[in-house]
Amino acid sequence: MQDAQGIEEKFSVNDAITDLWTKLDGWLDAIILKLPNFAVAILVMVIFYFIAKGVRSLGKKVIYKRISDEAIRQMVSKLVFAIIILIGFFVALGVMQLDTVLTTILASAGVVGLAIGLALQGTLSNTFSGLMLSFQPKIRLGDFIETNGMQGYVTEISLRNVAIRQTNNEYVIIPNSIFIDNPFTNYSLTDRSRVEVSCGVGYEDDLEKVEKMVLELIKENFPIVENEEIDFFFTEFGDSSINFVTRFWINSIKPKPKLAAQHKAIMLIKKKFDAEGINIPFPIRTLDFGKNKLQMAPKEEKV
């Protein structure tokens, strides 16, 4: 009986209510004392909210115009907004003198961020590579590029990959991390491209006449702008012809105009050579049996 009475005295309901009231009273006093800081913290959050909106609007007018993909624009916009709000949150905690809470939040965020980074290493690599490509002025939507042994038009630059439509209308999807780590050729960055046409003439033809004829023919049919020249070089003594190459410039940001210019130049050269009697030899093989006399053995008669 005495032990039960001792337990009842130890866990008295009145004492528990008194202790709870004392704590609540202390918390209430603390809250009242912190009311000015709390009001300032709310004001800080409001100010940072409007700052975030202003920076996002300014970014859309200035920076985001350089990003071609709409998905990446939205992501960058939300990321900038979230970072500014997060800074405001930390400043508000400092105003409320919750340094211990702030330290705990930062430590937890660091651990969580490390775990997420390790788990999503490949995805994050593609995402950041996509952001870099969006700010990269050397590649734009619609450009004709060559990379990793493939050629095509850039149709999409997303957070994960680059989509290329090849000339046969087949699509190639390249992860951003692979694309950005490898060199690529962009044929659409310049308006002018050089075309090369190779041919050969017979050993009996007048080489000076051939050179003058080809240069005049190219000049008449392909407009040349200032500081550009038409090149003509004899390159080698071939097996059956003296070979040459001519080079000239055209307006081209895609492969088809270059092929069309080569086609036109070949037809013009062939027609001109035929009219002027210039020979375009084809490979000839001569067989000489003078030093290797063949003897036919008489056929033995069957007995």
Side-chain angles (χ1 to χ4, degrees), residues 8-20:
E8 290 178 0
E9 292 177 357
K10 186 175 181 180
F11 295 101
S12 173
V13 176
N14 293 331
D15 292 341
I17 293 175
T18 302
D19 292 340
L20 179 60

Side-chain angles (χ1 to χ4, degrees), residues 101-170:
V101 177
L102 179 60
T103 304
T104 304
I105 291 175
L106 290 175
S108 302
V111 174
V112 173
L114 179 61
I116 294 175
L118 292 175
L120 302 176
Q121 184 176 2
T123 302
L124 292 176
S125 176
N126 286 329
T127 300
F128 284 108
S129 297
L131 290 175
M132 294 175 63
L133 285 174
S134 296
F135 289 100
Q136 173 62 262
K138 301 302 181 182
I139 179 172
R140 303 157 300 183
L141 292 178
D143 286 354
F144 187 84
I145 67 170
E146 179 179 0
T147 180
N148 297 293
M150 294 166 289
Q151 292 183 338
Y153 299 93
V154 179
T155 60
E156 181 184 7
I157 303 175
S158 66
L159 294 177
R160 290 184 54 83
N161 50 58
V162 174
I164 298 176
R165 179 175 62 84
Q166 300 185 103
T167 53
N168 58 5
N169 208 35
E170 295 179 352

Side-chain angles (χ1 to χ4, degrees), residues 11 25 40 50 52 54 75 102-103 114 135 217 243 268-269 300:
F11 295 101
D25 188 53
V40 173
F50 285 106
M75 195 203 73
L102 179 60
T103 304
L114 179 61
F135 289 100
L217 191 67
N243 300 325
L268 290 171
I269 291 173
E300 296 181 358

Side-chain angles (χ1 to χ4, degrees), residues 37-248:
N37 292 356
F38 185 70
V40 173
I42 293 177
L43 181 61
V44 167
M45 289 299 299
V46 171
I47 292 174
F48 271 87
Y49 173 78
F50 285 106
I51 291 175
K53 288 188 65 176
V55 171
R56 184 170 61 181
S57 300
L58 180 63
K60 288 181 179 179
K61 296 179 180 178
V62 180
I63 301 175
Y64 302 153
K65 289 183 178 180
R66 302 183 60 183
I67 303 177
S68 56
D69 190 77
E70 181 63 27
I72 298 180
R73 291 180 185 176
Q74 295 294 332
M75 195 203 73
V76 173
S77 176
K78 293 178 180 179
L79 182 62
V80 171
F81 185 83
I83 289 175
I84 296 176
I85 292 296
L86 189 62
I87 293 173
F89 177 71
F90 288 150
V91 172
L93 288 179
V95 170
M96 296 180 65
Q97 299 178 357
L98 298 176
D99 299 333
T100 304
V101 177
L102 179 60
T103 304
T104 304
I105 291 175
L106 290 175
S108 302
V111 174
V112 173
L114 179 61
I116 294 175
L118 292 175
L120 302 176
Q121 184 176 2
T123 302
L124 292 176
S125 176
N126 286 329
T127 300
F128 284 108
S129 297
L131 290 175
M132 294 175 63
L133 285 174
S134 296
F135 289 100
Q136 173 62 262
K138 301 302 181 182
I139 179 172
R140 303 157 300 183
L141 292 178
D143 286 354
F144 187 84
I145 67 170
E146 179 179 0
T147 180
N148 297 293
M150 294 166 289
Q151 292 183 338
Y153 299 93
V154 179
T155 60
E156 181 184 7
I157 303 175
S158 66
L159 294 177
R160 290 184 54 83
N161 50 58
V162 174
I164 298 176
R165 179 175 62 84
Q166 300 185 103
T167 53
N168 58 5
N169 208 35
E170 295 179 352
Y171 283 81
V172 178
I173 309 300
I174 306 175
N176 289 333
S177 58
I178 296 178
F179 184 89
I180 204 168
D181 288 338
N182 290 277
F184 67 91
T185 302
N186 192 337
Y187 295 96
S188 301
L189 287 181
T190 56
D191 297 330
R192 303 281 288 176
S193 295
R194 190 166 64 179
V195 179
E196 293 188 3
V197 176
S198 300
C199 188
V201 295
Y203 278 87
E204 71 280 4
D205 291 318
D206 186 346
L207 298 185
E208 292 182 356
K209 178 182 178 181
V210 170
E211 179 180 2
K212 181 179 179 181
M213 189 184 306
V214 172
L215 289 175
E216 290 179 352
L217 191 67
I218 298 298
K219 185 177 181 180
E220 292 173 357
N221 291 274
F222 298 94
I224 303 300
V225 301
E226 188 178 358
N227 298 325
E228 291 181 355
E229 295 181 355
I230 303 173
D231 295 327
F232 182 96
F233 302 101
F234 287 105
T235 56
E236 62 178 347
F237 292 96
D239 294 337
S240 56
S241 63
I242 297 178
N243 300 325
F244 68 85
V245 60
T246 181
R247 304 186 301 189
F248 54 94

